[in-house]
Structures are given as structure tokens and as C-alpha cells.
Amino acid sequence: MTRRLGEVAAFVAAALISGVVRAADESAWQFDVTPYLWAAGIDGDVTVDRREVEVDTSFGDIADNLDGGGSVLLEASKGRWVNWMQIDHIATDTGSVTVGPARADLESRTTMFDVGTGRRFDGFGERSSVDVLVGVRRFRIDDTLDLRGAGHVHNHLDVHDAIAILRPRYALSARWSFSPTLSVGGGDSELVWEMSPQFEYRAGERYEVRIGYRNLDYEVDEGRNGIDISFRGPLLGIGLKF
């Protein structure tokens, strides 16, 4: 039933896109591409085959054990129609973790994918606005737990959630603005929410620097496997507008 919610959310998003395309004005498209570094630590619990693993990993620990990864924010707008996409991938070998009284090694592959569409409204003050979007968030995690002589246990979660997204943008000056991104949803997850306050600096007509902080929380229970974790840390990105 919860997976059906994800399918329904995707259908609703597609219907909204079709409706907004018909209503969009004739102004030019604008595209923003922002690769960024998210220095996130991970805190919480991961359940692998009913074995609960406590994870408390700083970004420094992740960087020391990083196998690969990357993050990018994409936006396409036309008039008041806004499309938004965010992708994060983190591959780590966490090393030693606690499993009850024993120690084990944990390898993790995590991919987060968000997509949304909606409308931009005028905000309070000149050059300020508020984006109201609906969309779908996908979270995929593959964990391999090495029980040090007792074999391997594999955990695979692939969850889809409908989300509502609010993206205010407040102009602080001609070049600086403040843009907190807020989202909340559910479906396959019991709850997923995000808070990401960011300062944006326009460095000319085509370039923009983002400095902020991002907190993403997931609660998923699939019986034998599950997660109750937070990804949180500072964020720095350089965007290109065209």
C-alpha cells in the first residue's frame, strides 16, 4: 500500500507538470546547475536482518572511508513554473560498528533523489519569492554487514515518498539572499523531512554561490530491515545559470 502512494505521487506530479506547461507564459527558460559539497555526518540506527546497528559517523569519518559520491541541484523555470531536482550519492566503508555486544564492519551505498514541480509566488518585499512544489523523493540504501567471522548480512531498502516542498527566497541586498528549503512527506517511509537554510550570493549574471546547512531525517520500518537516521552538515555549492 505504501509503495502505491509513491506511484500515486508520481502520477500527480506528472499531471501537475502537464497542467502548468499549458498555463506557462512565453518567457524564456532559465536553468540553474549547482554541484555542491554536503559535509554530512550520519547519526541514528540501521536495522539489518533484525540486528540494530548504532551509527554515529562524522563527516571526517565518512571522508576517511569515502569510496565515492557527489551531489548536484538542478532547477528549470519558465515564468512562474518551477521544476526542481536534487541528487546525492554517498558510498562509504564505515568500518567498525557496534552490533549488540559484538563489533562488525559496515559498508554502505546511499542514493537520494528528489524531484518536484510547482509555482513561484511573489514574496514579501522586492525580489523575494516563495516556491510551492509537490514531488517524489526516492531513497535507496545498500548495506553489507560483516560480522567478523560469522558471515555477511545484506540490507537493501528502496523507498519512495510523496513530498511537499516550500522554498522561500528573501532578498537581503542586491547580491545576497536567504533561501531556506523545507520539505515533509511519507509513503514507504513512516516520515521523511528536510530543513536546509542557505545563503545565496550572486557573483555576476551567470554564477551563484550557496552556503548553508542541510538536515535530512528518515524513518523507515520494513520489518527485518529499517532505518531511523539523520544526515546533517554544512553545504557549499557553486551554481551556473543559463
Side-chain angles (χ1 to χ4, degrees):
M1 180 177 179
T2 53
R3 293 193 181 278
R4 176 68 69 179
L5 288 176
E7 296 172 1
V8 170
F11 175 80
V12 171
L16 284 170
I17 291 174
S18 299
V20 179
V21 166
R22 290 193 297 269
D25 61 27
E26 297 301 321
S27 60
W29 282 96
Q30 177 177 298
F31 300 92
D32 298 352
V33 180
T34 307
Y36 61 90
L37 170 67
W38 182 21
I42 305 174
D43 180 37
D45 299 310
V46 177
T47 302
V48 182
D49 195 25
R50 301 193 185 279
R51 296 176 174 88
E52 187 172 287
V53 179
E54 183 179 348
V55 178
D56 185 4
T57 307
S58 69
F59 175 73
D61 295 331
I62 293 175
D64 289 341
N65 299 289
L66 191 67
D67 291 337
S71 301
V72 65
L73 176 66
L74 307 169
E75 183 179 312
S77 59
K78 182 178 182 181
R80 292 186 177 273
W81 178 36
V82 181
N83 299 288
W84 173 81
M85 182 183 298
Q86 192 165 8
I87 305 170
D88 300 280
H89 179 71
I90 306 171
T92 62
D93 181 355
T94 305
S96 182
V97 296
T98 301
V99 184
R103 304 294 292 172
D105 295 318
L106 178 66
E107 293 184 1
S108 183
R109 302 291 182 268
T110 303
T111 302
M112 292 169 275
F113 175 84
D114 313 337
V115 61
T117 186
R119 181 176 173 84
R120 178 165 293 161
F121 297 90
D122 292 333
F124 300 100
E126 187 179 357
R127 300 189 310 278
S128 296
S129 61
V130 180
D131 297 345
V132 181
L133 307 98
V134 295
V136 178
R137 167 170 279 149
R138 182 184 183 187
F139 178 89
R140 174 174 176 147
I141 184 169
D142 289 281
D143 293 325
T144 301
L145 190 65
D146 183 354
L147 299 174
R148 295 188 178 180
H152 293 78
V153 179
H154 185 69
N155 170 34
H156 171 76
L157 289 175
D158 192 356
V159 298
H160 299 77
D161 299 290
I163 55 173
I165 308 163
L166 189 66
R167 301 179 66 221
R169 181 176 289 106
Y170 303 98
L172 303 176
S173 68
R175 291 188 178 272
W176 283 96
S177 61
F178 177 61
S179 179
T181 297
L182 310 169
S183 70
V184 64
D188 289 343
S189 301
E190 295 182 25
L191 175 67
V192 56
W193 65 271
E194 176 180 351
M195 179 176 63
S196 181
Q198 299 175 24
F199 289 94
E200 301 172 359
Y201 176 75
R202 183 178 290 273
E205 291 296 321
R206 299 186 62 187
Y207 298 98
E208 185 175 74
V209 179
R210 292 174 177 264
I211 305 170
Y213 190 88
R214 187 180 180 199
N215 188 109
L216 176 61
D217 275 47
Y218 258 99
E219 295 180 23
V220 182
D221 184 359
E222 293 195 348
R224 301 181 66 87
N225 300 317
I227 55 173
D228 185 359
I229 55 177
S230 298
F231 300 85
R232 58 172 72 104
L235 179 151
L236 174 64
I238 299 178
L240 172 66
K241 296 178 176 290
F242 57 95

